[in-house]
Amino acid sequence: MSLPHDCLVDIFQKLHNNSDRNAFGLTCRHWLHIQNISRRSLSLHFSYNTNVYQSYITYVSVLLNCFPQLSSVSIAGCPELPDPTLARLCNLRSTLYSLSLDCCLSITDIGLTQVVMQCTQLVSLTLYRCNITDMGLKVVAAFCKSLEKLNLSYCLNITDDGITAISNGCCLPQVLVVSYCRGIIGTGFRGCSPTLGYIEAECCMFTNEGLSELVTGGGLKYLNLSSPRCSSNFDGIALGLASRLRFLNLRLCRFISDDAVVAIANGCLLLEEWNLAVCHEVGVTGWAAIGSKCTNLKVLHVNRCRNLCDTSLLFLRDGCDQLQVLHIHGCHRVSQMGLEFFKLRRQDVDIRVDECISIGQKITDLFA
């Protein structure tokens, strides 16, 4: 007597070991079908081997047909993947919630449009190093109203027009990654949703006007603006309006001034981690403001800050009551005696010499 279909599905769902699931599918064709329709994710990992990503092009359509209930698809490192292959994703229109197309350089706005017009339930979309334009983003915004997470890192053809479309079109955006999109200056964030809490904008050429628009949503909790190309016209004072900010990465922003640091310290009272490594223009006034105002600060990065001195360290020692970790190294105006006095008074603070590039929650975890 054969077991009912629903019963077999329930049995398969209780198998958590991959080898057990594979053995289940090898039993017979019917059980293989159960295995296929129960599969929820497909991930083709990045490879430098040309034979590997050539095989992706050959078999991805077959795999998408075999697994009709996929909710998550990741195709990484396939630079020759053509638009027509993406058409197979349209069969997943009712189930697909997460799509990643990292380094699929041949995907155009046309291919992306084919997918998003059908797969309107997308919540997470990664287009890292794809050659899409603002036109593609406008289609995404028009059809994927539930989109929460969008990664556009190294999409060099994107400008603020595309960001405006996403800001206005998607109802509940939460995470937006635009690192190395050098056509973005920040004005596209005008009127952004208060749900937008996580923004990665490393090496973007933000202006003061763009920065002001960035904080208008009022929901920003994490912001990364680290950039060695930070303009001398970028003062950062507007960041003081981001009252809910908890993680701020300004590493390598060499033109951030005392005025900006004072404004941020006064306005962002919830800050828990602040990276100011290689911010050479921050002087005693800025460090004093951090010491007196940043009462929730737990982690502070001051590596290679030229103007951090013993007096500045004194303000940090006597303030920042919640400080747990201080990353400090290469600050030549801080004497060994000054550092020892800090350690003696603040034995509760862990002194570390490593310089961190990123802070807070990892992008990979957000798009997992």
Side-chain angles (χ1 to χ4, degrees):
M1 183 179 66
S2 61
L3 293 172
H5 181 88
D6 291 344
C7 183
L8 287 172
V9 171
D10 289 339
I11 292 173
F12 182 83
Q13 297 297 340
K14 295 183 184 300
L15 300 177
H16 301 296
N17 185 286
N18 285 335
S19 61
D20 289 340
R21 290 192 163 202
N22 290 334
F24 181 99
L26 292 173
T27 304
C28 65
R29 288 190 177 184
H30 180 52
W31 287 32
L32 177 61
H33 176 68
I34 297 294
Q35 181 188 22
N36 288 345
I37 65 172
S38 298
R39 190 181 184 98
R40 294 294 177 264
S41 66
L42 175 65
S43 183
L44 303 180
H45 299 291
F46 182 85
S47 174
Y48 288 104
N49 189 327
T50 56
N51 292 329
V52 172
Y53 68 71
Q54 285 291 345
S55 68
Y56 288 174
I57 298 174
T58 304
Y59 295 113
V60 69
S61 297
V62 176
L63 292 171
L64 291 174
N65 282 335
C66 285
F67 309 128
Q69 300 295 321
L70 293 173
S71 60
S72 174
V73 174
S74 175
I75 305 173
C78 191
E80 298 176 17
L81 187 73
D83 285 338
T85 303
L86 292 185
R88 299 290 184 180
L89 290 168
C90 297
N91 297 331
L92 305 173
R93 61 175 62 88
S94 62
T95 62
L96 190 63
Y97 293 98
S98 175
L99 176 61
S100 176
L101 297 171
D102 290 359
C103 299
C104 292
L105 306 182
S106 297
I107 299 301
T108 69
D109 292 335
I110 296 174
L112 182 63
T113 297
Q114 290 176 337
V115 175
V116 300
M117 286 181 67
Q118 298 296 325
C119 302
T120 58
Q121 305 301 313
L122 278 175
V123 173
S124 175
L125 178 61
T126 298
L127 299 170
Y128 173 82
R129 287 191 184 273
C130 289
N131 289 317
I132 60 157
T133 70
D134 292 337
M135 188 62 67
L137 286 189
K138 290 175 182 178
V139 178
V140 171
F143 287 90
C144 299
K145 298 296 183 181
S146 300
L147 193 66
E148 297 177 359
K149 304 173 184 179
L150 179 61
N151 188 344
L152 299 171
S153 294
Y154 289 93
C155 291
L156 304 182
N157 299 317
I158 298 298
T159 72
D160 285 275
D161 286 343
I163 301 302
T164 297
I166 295 296
S167 298
N168 295 336
C170 300
C171 300
L172 299 170
Q174 297 178 12
V175 178
L176 183 56
V177 183
V178 292
S179 296
Y180 296 90
C181 296
R182 294 172 186 167
I184 294 177
I185 62 173
T187 53
F189 288 96
R190 182 179 294 115
C192 61
S193 170
T195 63
L196 186 57
Y198 186 108
I199 295 178
E200 282 272 359
E202 184 177 352
C203 286
C204 289
M205 302 299 289
F206 275 62
T207 63
N208 287 326
E209 180 188 0
L211 201 58
S212 297
E213 301 296 353
L214 186 67
V215 301
T216 55
L220 203 57
K221 296 179 181 179
Y222 174 100
L223 179 62
N224 179 7
L225 292 174
S226 60
S227 174
R229 298 177 178 84
C230 181
S231 169
S232 58
N233 296 321
F234 172 85
D235 57 34
I237 293 176
L239 288 175
L241 299 175
S243 59
R244 299 180 65 185
L245 200 60
R246 295 179 181 273
F247 299 89
L248 178 59
N249 191 347
L250 296 178
R251 179 177 176 270
L252 297 173
C253 293
R254 290 169 291 182
F255 296 106
I256 289 290
S257 65
D258 278 341
D259 290 340
V261 171
V262 170
I264 295 168
N266 285 323
C268 306
L269 301 179
L270 299 179
L271 264 182
E272 297 178 15
E273 185 170 3
W274 193 352
N275 193 338
L276 285 167
V278 205
C279 291
H280 298 316
E281 297 301 313
V282 182
V284 172
T285 303
W287 300 118
I290 293 174
S292 62
K293 297 296 182 179
C294 297
T295 55
N296 286 309
L297 196 64
K298 296 180 174 62
V299 183
L300 179 63
H301 305 253
V302 299
N303 308 74
R304 296 189 289 152
C305 288
R306 290 177 185 168
N307 280 323
L308 182 71
C309 60
D310 287 350
T311 303
S312 306
L313 204 58
L314 188 67
F315 284 114
L316 298 178
R317 186 196 71 180
D318 295 337
C320 299
D321 297 335
Q322 301 298 318
L323 192 65
Q324 298 174 4
V325 179
L326 177 66
H327 293 263
I328 180 170
H329 177 71
C331 301
H332 299 301
R333 295 185 62 190
V334 174
S335 67
Q336 187 61 39
M337 184 69 72
L339 188 58
E340 290 303 322
F341 275 131
F342 182 95
K343 291 179 180 179
L344 186 65
R345 179 70 176 269
R346 295 298 300 271
Q347 296 182 28
D348 56 324
V349 178
D350 182 12
I351 304 296
R352 300 179 185 176
V353 299
D354 57 314
E355 183 173 335
C356 300
I357 296 175
S358 59
I359 65 174
Q361 192 171 6
K362 296 180 180 178
I363 299 178
T364 50
D365 293 337
L366 290 169
F367 287 86

